[in-house]
Amino acid sequence: MAVSTPLLGIAVLVYLMIIFYLGWLGYKNTKAVDDFMVAGRKANPYILALSYGATFISTSAIVGFGGAAGAMGMGLLWLAVMNVVVGIFIAFALFGPRTRQMGKNLRAVTFPELLGRRFDSRFIQGYAGLIIGIFMPLYTGIVLIGGARFVETTLGINYNSALLILTVITAAYVITGGIIAVMYTDAFQGILMFVGMAILLILTYTKLGGITEAHQALTNMAYLVPEALAKGGQVGWTAMPSSGSPIWWTVVSTLVLGVGIGVLAQPQLVVRFMTVKNDRSLYRALLVGGPFIVMMTGVAFVVGALSNVYFFREKGVIALTAAGGNVDLIIPEYINMAMPEIFVVLFMLVLLAAAMSTLSSQYHTMGTAIGHDLYRQFLKKGEISHTTNVTKIGIAFTILVSVILAYTLPPSIIAPATSIFFGLCAAAFLPMYIGALFWKRMTKEGAIASMVIGSISSLAWLALVHAKEAAPLGISQALFGKATLLTGTWTVVDPILIATPIAMLIGIVVSLFTQPIASEHLEKCFENIK
Amino acid sequence: MFGIDDPQIWMAYLLCIGGALGCIIYGLIHWNEKDPEEEN
């Protein structure tokens, strides 16, 4: 994207000044440990909703998913449906209230601590903290690389400097202001993202002659689907891929189910439910959260798919060809060619905001996982004083690890980091989290078995069967002499569809054969829960 | 339906809008809901 540097420079400067002011405000309002960890359990519902949404959506969700829709079409809208129904509605209306009250009953300040205290097990808290501490820096690394590459190309700053600047600015307000600073800055970044995407949708439909005209033009382009995609099952950009075809499986299993369900057990999102005062705050947050998420993923998918019409009219080629075959360049190329310069500047800020709002929450979550969950509560058995210093050191340490990973890991390892982390969280945490909130008969042993088996089977499926990760990792090749252990459709079935049901089943079976948790403890956990 | 022939796609399109509206309506219905803690 190329725009006049002075205009962009001024915009970025104003943006950063607002971020620093909000970070300082967060620092001023952080007086106790609970403030740093869970915003004193009294966050504003709209700030919660914007913060949840802005954390949920990173730059890769806008550019990557939008580009994927440019290549594969509007079938991806089912992911937007999953995002709003599962990621927002079910999360806030069903999981949120119980998580909030149970977190308060058990005085838990992190997701691993909530699970550990619910099942009365320091091992659960330590193991969950370790999983987050090891795998989240990978996921952070990919967001960091995306953000730094973007700063490099837009502001013309050297990549290494861009990575460092992005890290230092975000780390400064996370370490000093804790989750209040994270949520304040997230809310501002969320507003920026909402406005940017709304304008993008309106400008796109206007440019293409209206809603029906734009869709009809895209429907009429079905004959232009590239041969390779047509062989994979794609039949157009306004139609679902052929049922059971490889592209259909990719769309349904990885994107719709993997990302759609995986979000329920994301530690950086679950902790948000513990930051509000009462249940009605969570219900009120829905007013902002629902429209926000549709405006992010829904618009990215629609605009990504419709960019084909624009490129065909202007250049006589489809979006994928216009972007030189790179799906990640479809959205930037479209914005750059089709949009007025002032909007290009705004959209750059949207992408910067999307990266920073996701990064800040990742820093906070993995820092608390290492500093609070793993070190203080598991290794030191809670015997060191409860201050934020250990957590701050944890945050600084995990940020350092993320930066080192971003510098050193090869693209083949770091590219699938997002799906690895989402899949791992879903398999390791989701069955146990559902059991913790809704099934009193789940036992400590059942929860541990579910978490350990879930995490191992998720990683094994990723490393040995799921072609997208297994092939570049090369572990199956080294052990068995073939790129993936299984062949055919199995290689495109997401680990979440395999490991999560296994973990769920193990959790249920082991619980039924082991001693139930003491009723006094359960009463404490479920006090004031409807 | 508005230029999209495949019902699986226009249903998804409408469900996105419906989902967002559903969130708003649910939030408004439960606007003043009291917690069990407050009722006790």
Side-chain angles (χ1 to χ4, degrees):
Chain A
M1 294 193 214
V3 290
S4 73
T5 310
L7 181 63
L8 183 61
I10 292 166
V12 170
L13 205 62
V14 171
Y15 165 82
L16 287 178
M17 283 165 68
I18 295 172
I19 291 293
F20 275 121
Y21 171 70
L22 292 169
W24 176 79
L25 214 56
Y27 167 71
K28 287 285 287 179
N29 287 324
T30 299
K31 294 183 173 60
V33 175
D34 265 13
D35 294 335
F36 192 88
M37 304 291 270
V38 286
R41 301 188 200 274
K42 51 179 192 257
N44 175 293
Y46 310 115
I47 287 181
L48 161 73
L50 285 166
S51 171
Y52 185 98
T55 298
F56 193 144
I57 302 296
S58 66
T59 311
S60 63
I62 296 173
V63 173
F65 287 171
M72 292 192 273
M74 288 192 184
L76 288 169
L77 273 173
W78 283 102
L79 173 55
V81 174
M82 290 293 282
N83 286 155
V84 71
V85 174
V86 179
I88 298 293
F89 184 78
I90 289 179
F92 276 76
L94 284 181
F95 284 65
R98 284 177 177 245
T99 304
R100 185 197 68 78
Q101 187 63 55
M102 196 176 283
K104 191 178 169 190
N105 293 345
L106 299 171
R107 299 189 56 75
V109 293
T110 65
F111 181 44
E113 188 159 71
L114 175 76
L115 296 171
R117 292 191 175 179
R118 163 66 177 82
F119 294 109
D120 202 13
S121 160
R122 281 192 195 276
F123 173 77
I124 287 178
Q125 185 171 356
Y127 188 92
L130 189 65
I131 287 181
I132 295 165
I134 290 177
F135 290 96
M136 204 162 183
L138 273 177
Y139 170 35
T140 306
I142 189 84
V143 176
L144 198 51
I145 289 172
R149 286 273 173 232
F150 164 74
V151 170
E152 176 192 36
T153 50
T154 52
L155 294 178
I157 296 173
N158 158 298
Y159 172 72
N160 291 342
S161 310
L163 195 79
L164 208 60
I165 291 168
L166 200 59
T167 302
V168 169
I169 290 173
T170 314
Y173 68 78
V174 178
I175 292 176
T176 54
I179 204 161
I180 298 181
V182 170
M183 289 175 79
Y184 283 176
T185 50
D186 277 359
F188 164 63
Q189 288 157 338
I191 291 169
L192 207 55
M193 291 158 72
F194 188 92
V195 171
M197 294 303 274
I199 294 174
L200 177 62
L201 183 70
I202 293 165
L203 286 179
T204 297
Y205 275 135
T206 307
K207 194 169 265 295
L208 300 179
I211 295 175
T212 303
E213 288 74 7
H215 293 167
Q216 192 60 56
L218 187 60
T219 301
N220 297 342
M221 287 173 62
Y223 69 94
L224 291 165
V225 171
E227 197 180 345
L229 288 173
K231 274 185 180 168
Q234 187 170 331
V235 291
W237 286 278
T238 58
M240 279 297 277
S242 317
S243 276
S245 64
I247 291 183
W248 184 88
W249 269 106
T250 301
V251 167
V252 171
S253 87
T254 301
L255 295 167
V256 175
L257 291 172
V259 181
I261 294 175
V263 75
L264 277 177
Q266 291 284 298
Q268 74 279 25
L269 296 178
V270 172
V271 75
R272 291 287 190 282
F273 300 139
M274 299 198 265
T275 63
V276 289
K277 194 175 177 177
N278 45 36
D279 289 356
R280 61 178 170 272
S281 293
L282 293 166
Y283 301 138
R284 290 178 184 187
L286 279 170
L287 268 76
V288 173
F292 181 88
I293 218 75
V294 169
M295 197 52 86
M296 292 296 122
T297 51
V299 169
F301 295 144
V302 168
V303 169
L306 287 174
S307 69
N308 283 290
V309 177
Y310 174 80
F311 285 121
F312 189 64
R313 285 180 184 171
E314 296 294 322
K315 299 171 85 171
V317 295
I318 61 169
L320 194 57
T321 311
N326 183 346
V327 289
D328 287 338
L329 292 179
I330 290 177
I331 294 288
E333 185 67 17
Y334 170 69
I335 300 283
N336 215 15
M337 267 187 72
M339 296 291 147
E341 187 184 40
I342 187 83
F343 181 76
V344 178
V345 171
L346 174 65
F347 198 75
M348 285 180 180
L349 287 182
V350 166
L351 294 182
L352 187 60
M356 284 177 73
S357 56
T358 302
L359 274 178
S360 61
S361 295
Q362 290 172 324
Y363 288 169
H364 187 269
T365 300
M366 59 193 189
T368 55
I370 290 290
H372 180 80
D373 295 314
L374 183 66
Y375 181 75
R376 174 188 290 126
Q377 298 293 2
F378 180 65
L379 296 176
K380 293 292 179 183
K381 304 198 183 310
E383 287 167 0
I384 53 173
S385 65
H386 196 60
T387 68
T388 55
N389 291 339
V390 173
T391 303
K392 286 177 178 175
I393 293 168
I395 293 174
F397 172 72
T398 47
I399 289 174
L400 193 63
V401 171
S402 296
V403 172
I404 292 169
L405 289 176
Y407 270 119
T408 54
L409 279 183
S412 61
I413 304 257
I414 204 138
T418 305
S419 54
I420 291 175
F421 187 72
F422 270 58
L424 188 59
C425 283
F429 303 144
L430 189 57
M432 176 168 63
Y433 180 38
I434 292 172
L437 298 181
F438 299 101
W439 193 39
K440 291 180 181 178
R441 182 64 183 80
M442 191 168 209
T443 64
K444 175 177 166 179
E445 293 76 12
I448 290 173
S450 160
M451 177 173 70
V452 173
I453 300 286
S455 53
I456 291 172
S457 52
S458 176
L459 290 173
W461 189 266
L462 273 168
L464 301 174
V465 181
H466 198 232
K468 198 174 151 198
E469 293 85 18
L473 284 174
I475 297 172
S476 174
Q477 188 70 47
L479 292 176
F480 306 105
K482 46 189 178 181
T484 56
L485 191 54
L486 301 177
T487 52
T489 305
W490 289 113
T491 61
V492 290
V493 175
D494 196 83
I496 201 168
L497 284 183
I498 306 294
T500 313
I502 290 174
M504 190 78 83
L505 196 64
I506 294 278
I508 292 170
V509 171
V510 173
S511 290
L512 292 175
F513 283 97
T514 46
Q515 195 67 29
I517 288 176
S519 57
E520 306 83 64
H521 180 69
L522 286 174
E523 272 173 30
K524 183 183 168 192
C525 294
F526 284 88
E527 190 183 359
N528 287 322
I529 288 179
K530 278 179 267 194
Chain B
M1 180 83 90
F2 43 85
I4 298 172
D5 298 337
D6 186 341
Q8 287 187 78
I9 302 294
W10 59 252
M11 270 169 55
Y13 195 99
L14 291 178
L15 278 171
C16 282
I17 298 166
L21 288 174
C23 284
I24 292 172
I25 292 165
Y26 191 88
L28 290 172
I29 290 172
H30 294 273
W31 185 262
N32 277 325
E33 182 128 333
K34 286 196 169 178
D35 294 349
E37 203 172 23
E38 293 170 313
E39 286 170 346
N40 293 338

